[in-house]
Amino acid sequence: MKNYIVLLCILGGAFTNAQVIIGGGALQTPYTQLELQNTTGRKVLIQPAANDKTTLPKYNAAQPDGYNDDATMEAMLMYDKNASVSKVYDGTTWKQTFIPQGKATTWTRARIEPSSVACLSFLCTSGNLPLSIPNNSNQFSDYLSVFRPSDTFRIRQKGLYRINFNVLFNGGNIGFAGVKVNIAIAVNGEQKAYMSANAAFISANSFSASADTVLFLDVNNDVNFRVNISTPGLSVAAFTFGGTPDSSISLERIL
């Protein structure tokens, strides 16, 4: 019996210290337990690749963030050939991994894409401003991992946030009364701050709206920027927002 125990201990120690090579015949370094090599014996890491975000696993255009949730796939790595970046699945969505050191990690900035609202007398449209974060951009990035396409920031870290908003818009109004253009910062659908501009009863002009405010935001709070126009009388009005380089929104976690 003692001999068997000794033999099992020896085998157990051998398996514990085993080093595995995939694709090669000899370890390049004695310190690794698992080493991937190419056909020439060089160390490599080869990730599965997807042509673009629509071919990444769990893609679903019907979901608010574009992907189905699957906690069992958390930490899977894929290479997005269209974006030219490696991405990691966090259990809910795919986002860039291997972010270079030395860059700010406390802010997220998105571009405001073109959108329109209109009024026909008392019938006025409204909606959230559409947002995007262009790939490989120094100006627009998601270092807080809060952006959920295409109009929502979902907060991942509780804290005090500085919200900076700038948008250019243009349009006109024809009628017997002026119109008011309102842009509200909404958290979980509740208005927290707003900007407004007035257009005369006959007007065609360009406008700018900006805000710089601080809000306390909790985990999984949804932040949107909602536009609506209103008029006290008969008017025909239409306005177009965003689509310019200086039309942007940023969130910065300051505490």
Side-chain angles (χ1 to χ4, degrees), residues 91-120:
T92 61
T93 190
W94 289 90
K95 54 191 177 186
Q96 183 178 350
T97 189
F98 307 134
I99 297 175
Q101 295 293 321
K103 290 189 176 181
T105 56
T106 60
W107 61 269
T108 287
R109 185 175 297 119
R111 182 171 63 191
I112 300 174
E113 296 295 341
S115 62
S116 299
V117 294
C119 255
L120 179 59

Side-chain angles (χ1 to χ4, degrees), residues 56-247:
L56 287 167
K58 301 300 175 181
Y59 176 77
N60 184 350
Q63 294 290 352
D65 63 352
Y67 299 95
N68 292 326
D69 296 351
D70 186 350
T72 65
M73 279 183 49
E74 186 174 356
M76 182 178 182
L77 288 171
M78 294 281 285
Y79 183 74
D80 186 334
K81 292 191 287 187
N82 183 62
S84 299
V85 295
S86 293
K87 292 185 174 180
V88 61
Y89 185 75
D90 66 359
T92 61
T93 190
W94 289 90
K95 54 191 177 186
Q96 183 178 350
T97 189
F98 307 134
I99 297 175
Q101 295 293 321
K103 290 189 176 181
T105 56
T106 60
W107 61 269
T108 287
R109 185 175 297 119
R111 182 171 63 191
I112 300 174
E113 296 295 341
S115 62
S116 299
V117 294
C119 255
L120 179 59
S121 293
F122 299 105
L123 301 175
C124 300
T125 60
S126 62
N128 296 331
L129 289 174
L131 310 172
S132 73
I133 297 180
N135 292 322
N136 304 318
S137 169
N138 293 326
Q139 183 181 0
F140 303 102
S141 295
D142 182 17
Y143 294 118
L144 292 172
S145 299
V146 300
F147 181 59
R148 299 183 72 212
S150 58
D151 60 12
T152 302
F153 294 105
R154 171 158 288 182
I155 303 304
R156 300 296 185 188
Q157 304 173 53
K158 179 189 295 187
L160 202 61
Y161 286 79
R162 177 185 179 185
I163 301 177
N164 183 268
F165 174 94
N166 295 280
V167 65
L168 295 179
F169 62 101
N170 59 74
N173 174 57
I174 300 175
F176 297 99
V179 297
K180 177 177 285 188
V181 181
N182 301 300
I183 304 173
I185 301 175
V187 179
N188 293 340
E190 181 181 350
Q191 180 177 304
K192 295 295 185 179
Y194 74 95
M195 303 132 276
S196 64
N198 294 306
F201 66 96
I202 297 179
S203 62
N205 210 336
S206 295
F207 306 85
S208 64
S210 62
D212 197 86
T213 189
V214 174
L215 293 175
F216 178 82
L217 300 173
D218 206 346
V219 176
N220 289 331
N221 279 170
D222 283 341
V223 181
N224 304 103
F225 296 82
R226 189 165 185 81
V227 176
N228 70 77
I229 56 178
S230 59
T231 177
L234 300 176
S235 292
V236 177
F239 296 90
T240 300
F241 298 82
T244 59
D246 42 2
S247 292

Side-chain angles (χ1 to χ4, degrees), residues 4-23:
Y4 288 119
I5 294 174
V6 171
L7 179 59
L8 288 173
C9 289
I10 293 173
L11 289 174
F15 284 124
T16 300
N17 295 303
Q19 294 175 309
V20 180
I21 309 166
I22 299 177

